[in-house]
Amino acid sequence: MAKKKINYVTKESSTGANYIMAFRPEDYDIFEYRINKPIAVKDPNDTSEFDMHFIVQETDEIKINSKHKLEYFIPNNIALLLSISDKALNRGLQIYKIYLNPDKPENDITKYIKDEQVGFLKEKSRHYCDYIEEIETAIVFAYTAVEAFANISIPDNYIYKSAEKDGILYEKKAIERWTSLAEKVSVILPEIYDVKSIKSKSFYNHFKLLEEYRNAIIHQKSVERADFFKLYFKGNINEICKSSESVIRFFYDAHKESNRINPLWPWLIGNEKDFPIIYDDLSNIQRKD
């Protein structure tokens, strides 16, 4: 039997959005890592040997004016944050490689005569500032991606007893506001996802540095001047920024094994066919081929 693709569903969702559908999971080809994952909808009444179900991709729209609207697949916030961080990191590393790398002869100030050195330093200072802008963008958005992931992972009815704060009980909103991200990642999320400690992973130390660097950016003190900029020139800045995806993947892989994929999680490279699953009666869905 030939498989038949479904182009779209005419039935609207509760938000007024339409659904774009593929007939089988293998028919779905990912075209953009920054949008929400599609959802596999299975009919609990379907007992056929083919295990027929749909992959559903939801759309939304923005009303631009009285005549026009913008329709789109819904972006995934965590994926956008990771994408912003990754692009900024790549731009920053490219700036360093071309203009700042001291191993390149053309970046050696001693090769210039004294009268040329001031102009050379002016040019290098501009590249220095460009590099810092990109790296700080990468740091802040990488950290924010993990923070967003941690917060959506906490169930609404979850209660956390903090050992660090004399056994104070925290509900979800209080956890989001008053608990450090390191505590969420190292204590709360392992409990929620029922996994072993993340602290034993090599990338966790890089994540701790990511949090340290981010806090230095957001909570700057006048006495520090700009000395923390110098940390961005260490050889591990790539691993520090990339630790955000490593943290998310750690919990993603652990949770995936129990087939409980959160539809709010981002796409990750290598997990293109991991779809969240819901069960719903599909008999009354109107389809256009």
Side-chain angles (χ1 to χ4, degrees):
M1 177 186 294
K3 291 180 293 186
K4 189 177 183 182
K5 288 189 178 181
I6 304 300
N7 293 326
Y8 65 89
V9 178
T10 59
K11 182 179 179 181
E12 292 186 341
S13 71
S14 59
T15 62
N18 284 325
Y19 289 120
I20 304 297
M21 304 182 68
F23 190 57
R24 299 277 293 179
E26 55 267 32
D27 291 329
Y28 184 88
D29 295 320
I30 182 169
F31 56 92
E32 176 55 67
Y33 279 85
R34 292 173 296 179
I35 65 172
N36 276 337
K37 279 177 168 287
I39 298 174
V41 183
K42 292 188 176 183
D43 191 337
N45 300 317
D46 184 5
T47 59
S48 68
E49 61 178 308
F50 298 106
D51 186 25
M52 306 299 279
H53 57 282
F54 301 102
I55 297 298
V56 179
Q57 187 83 59
E58 190 175 5
T59 67
D60 203 349
E61 63 183 42
I62 298 173
K63 189 173 182 179
I64 303 299
N65 51 42
S66 59
K67 295 182 178 180
H68 301 286
K69 61 185 179 180
L70 173 66
E71 297 178 283
Y72 55 92
F73 291 109
I74 299 175
N76 181 279
N77 184 51
I78 299 173
L80 289 172
L81 295 169
L82 289 172
S83 178
I84 293 170
S85 175
D86 192 55
K87 289 175 180 176
L89 176 62
N90 289 336
R91 289 193 299 265
L93 294 178
Q94 192 69 7
I95 290 169
Y96 179 86
K97 179 181 178 181
I98 297 174
Y99 300 110
L100 302 177
N101 185 357
D103 292 332
K104 296 184 69 173
E106 58 267 36
N107 292 332
D108 183 3
I109 194 172
T110 61
K111 68 176 289 187
Y112 296 88
I113 62 176
K114 188 174 181 179
D115 291 340
E116 295 176 331
Q117 288 183 358
V118 172
F120 180 80
L121 285 174
K122 286 180 180 179
E123 179 186 357
K124 288 302 170 187
S125 295
R126 284 193 288 269
H127 296 311
Y128 178 82
C129 290
D130 289 341
Y131 174 77
I132 289 174
E133 284 184 7
E134 300 293 0
I135 295 303
E136 290 201 334
T137 299
I139 290 169
V140 170
F141 279 89
Y143 178 92
T144 306
V146 180
E147 190 169 44
F149 175 82
N151 289 339
I152 69 167
S153 296
I154 301 171
D156 291 335
N157 60 350
Y158 180 78
I159 303 295
Y160 172 57
K161 185 176 182 180
S162 176
E164 296 184 5
K165 299 178 181 177
D166 299 325
I168 296 176
L169 298 178
Y170 291 92
E171 295 181 343
K172 178 179 173 68
K173 289 185 178 179
I175 295 171
E176 293 176 355
R177 183 172 182 180
W178 300 111
T179 305
S180 70
L181 184 56
E183 189 172 359
K184 293 175 187 175
V185 167
S186 64
V187 180
I188 295 175
L189 293 191
E191 181 178 295
I192 291 172
Y193 288 120
D194 191 24
V195 297
K196 296 179 180 179
S197 175
I198 195 174
K199 291 182 178 180
S200 62
K201 300 298 181 179
S202 59
F203 60 79
Y204 183 74
N205 290 331
H206 288 132
F207 169 71
K208 288 288 291 179
L209 289 174
L210 177 70
E211 182 171 53
E212 178 184 319
Y213 289 9
R214 179 265 183 187
N215 289 341
I217 295 168
I218 302 300
H219 308 294
Q220 293 189 32
K221 300 176 182 178
S222 59
V223 295
E224 293 177 346
R225 285 183 66 233
D227 285 347
F228 63 89
F229 291 157
K230 298 175 183 178
L231 297 172
Y232 307 158
F233 291 85
K234 292 188 175 182
N236 61 352
I237 192 64
N238 182 66
E239 288 76 13
I240 289 171
C241 293
K242 290 288 190 180
S243 68
S244 58
E245 184 173 330
S246 297
V247 168
I248 293 173
R249 187 180 292 276
F250 173 80
F251 294 106
Y252 183 102
D253 289 345
H255 212 45
K256 181 184 69 174
E257 293 176 359
S258 59
N259 200 26
R260 295 179 298 167
I261 299 172
N262 192 319
L264 297 180
W265 288 351
W267 292 102
L268 293 175
I269 301 297
N271 300 100
E272 288 81 358
K273 295 298 182 181
D274 296 332
F275 303 113
I277 299 174
I278 62 172
Y279 292 88
D280 195 12
D281 184 0
L282 302 177
S283 60
N284 64 346
I285 290 182
Q286 298 176 358
R287 299 186 288 272
K288 181 175 180 179
D289 299 337

